């Protein structure tokens, strides 16, 4: 599982910072999470193939999280895309995007499928044989969801030396990978554990931006491997959190600690501060494993 930060700053973009957008690479999927202005330029800079993006998740309808989507959808059209594109986002996103297309008389030549969300409870919105995605209801000024990405368990791996030693017929390999015991020609049963190797532990990633401090999300993100949590302000400006429905770096760290996550990534920084290192310093006072998101930075989860 690999996370690439395309943009992670709040409010207006600058020449050297970009609003929120991320790529999560997981089990042969490339999921685009939020699509702030300039996202397609950042995709180019980070050498990410547009054609591999089939699913886009939009947290909410504030411009710094989806104003890049109309342009990206139009570029897909210009590139001759034919495969389906699925967009998951708040109710109203279909109307917003199709109005752009209608006024510009630039309908897509590929299926553009919207999955509009309005539930205030966590729900499963995507699932295949390898990955599931649930919403994480957040506390912001407009209807907002975070997203929880979870790998499904990998199949067990054959222990090549062991199956050769026991002279297991190849016709059994598929069943053994799926948990079956091996059977010799004389009927002897060989335990699956003796013929396979434990697979990698399934990983999980929770994206939470934008939101005020909200302990209601704790059961949903408990024990995730990596949590991305917004940290718009430092504690010196905590008074702004109530008005804007954002969080501080310290509050993000408190959520990470209470949810017992493996690693915390901070982002969505206000540009009023001289250095993003200040956010890490504040969070480390509460939680021991803190990373700073920054445009173009990648994380192995």
């Amino acid at each position: 599982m690999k996370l690439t930060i395309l943009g992670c700053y709040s409010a207006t973009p600058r020449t050297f910072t970009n609003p929120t957008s991320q790529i999560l690479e997981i089990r042969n999927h490339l999921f685009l999470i939020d699509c702030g202005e300039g996202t397609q330029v950042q995709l180019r800079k980070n050498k990410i193939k547009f054609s591999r993006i089939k699913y886009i998740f939009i947290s909410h309808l504030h411009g710094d999280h989806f104003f890049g989507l109309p342009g990206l959808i139009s570029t897909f059209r210009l590139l001759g895309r034919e495969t389906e594109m699925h967009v998951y986002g708040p109710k109203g996103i279909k109307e917003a995007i199709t109005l752009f297309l209608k006024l510009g008389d630039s309908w897509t030549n590929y299926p553009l499928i919207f999955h509009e969300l309005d539930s205030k409870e966590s729900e499963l919105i995507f699932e295949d044989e390898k990955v599931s995605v649930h919403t994480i209801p957040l506390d912001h000024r407009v209807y907002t969801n975070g997203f929880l990405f979870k790998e499904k368990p990998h199949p067990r791996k054959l222990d090549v030396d062991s199956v050769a030693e026991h002279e297991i017929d190849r016709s059994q390999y598929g069943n053994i990978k799926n948990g079956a015991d091996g059977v010799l020609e004389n009927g002897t049963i060989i335990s699956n554990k003796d013929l396979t190797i434990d697979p990698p532990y399934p990983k999980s990633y929770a994206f939470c931006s934008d939101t005020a401090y909200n302990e209601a999300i704790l059961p949903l993100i408990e024990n995730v491997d990596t949590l991305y949590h917004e940290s718009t302000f430092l504690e010196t400006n905590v008074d702004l959190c109530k008005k804007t429905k954002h969080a501080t770096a310290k509050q993000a760290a408190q959520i990470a600690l209470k949810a017992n996550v493996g690693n915390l990534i901070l982002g969505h920084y206000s540009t009023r501060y001289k250095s993003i290192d200040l956010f890490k310093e504040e969070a480390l006072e509460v939680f021991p494993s803190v990373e700073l998101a920054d445009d173009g930075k990648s994380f192995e989860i």
Side-chain angles (χ1 to χ4, degrees), residues 10-11 59-65 90 120 137-145 209-213 230 232-233 240-247 268 272:
S10 64
S59 61
H60 64 296
L61 297 183
H62 279 163
D64 56 329
H65 293 261
K120 294 183 179 180
L138 300 176
D139 180 14
H140 195 40
R141 301 193 307 278
V142 296
Y143 176 77
T144 305
N145 284 304
S209 182
D210 301 9
T211 184
Y213 180 82
E230 77 124 284
T232 306
F233 301 114
L240 296 176
C241 290
K242 184 176 181 179
K243 175 183 177 181
T244 63
K245 290 285 188 175
H246 284 299
H268 202 264
R272 72 185 62 220

Side-chain angles (χ1 to χ4, degrees), residues 72-113:
L72 183 60
I73 287 172
S74 297
T75 296
F76 283 139
R77 174 179 177 270
L78 295 173
L79 294 175
R81 184 187 183 100
E82 296 180 354
T83 56
E84 292 182 351
M85 171 63 64
H86 293 262
V87 178
Y88 299 80
K91 187 175 181 179
I93 193 168
K94 180 178 180 179
E95 179 184 4
I97 298 302
T98 53
L99 181 59
F100 276 104
L101 301 178
K102 176 183 177 181
L103 295 177
D105 193 21
S106 55
W107 300 105
T108 63
N109 51 0
Y110 58 90
L112 180 60
I113 302 167

Side-chain angles (χ1 to χ4, degrees), residues 8-13 17-20 64 210 232 246 268-271:
C8 63
Y9 290 79
S10 64
T12 55
T17 65
N18 293 273
T20 302
D64 56 329
D210 301 9
T232 306
H246 284 299
H268 202 264
Y269 320 109
S270 168
T271 55

Side-chain angles (χ1 to χ4, degrees), residues 190-209:
I190 307 298
S191 171
N192 182 269
K193 289 186 177 181
D194 293 331
L195 299 173
T196 58
I197 300 171
D198 289 339
Y201 187 80
K203 296 178 181 179
S204 55
Y205 171 65
F207 169 85
C208 294
S209 182

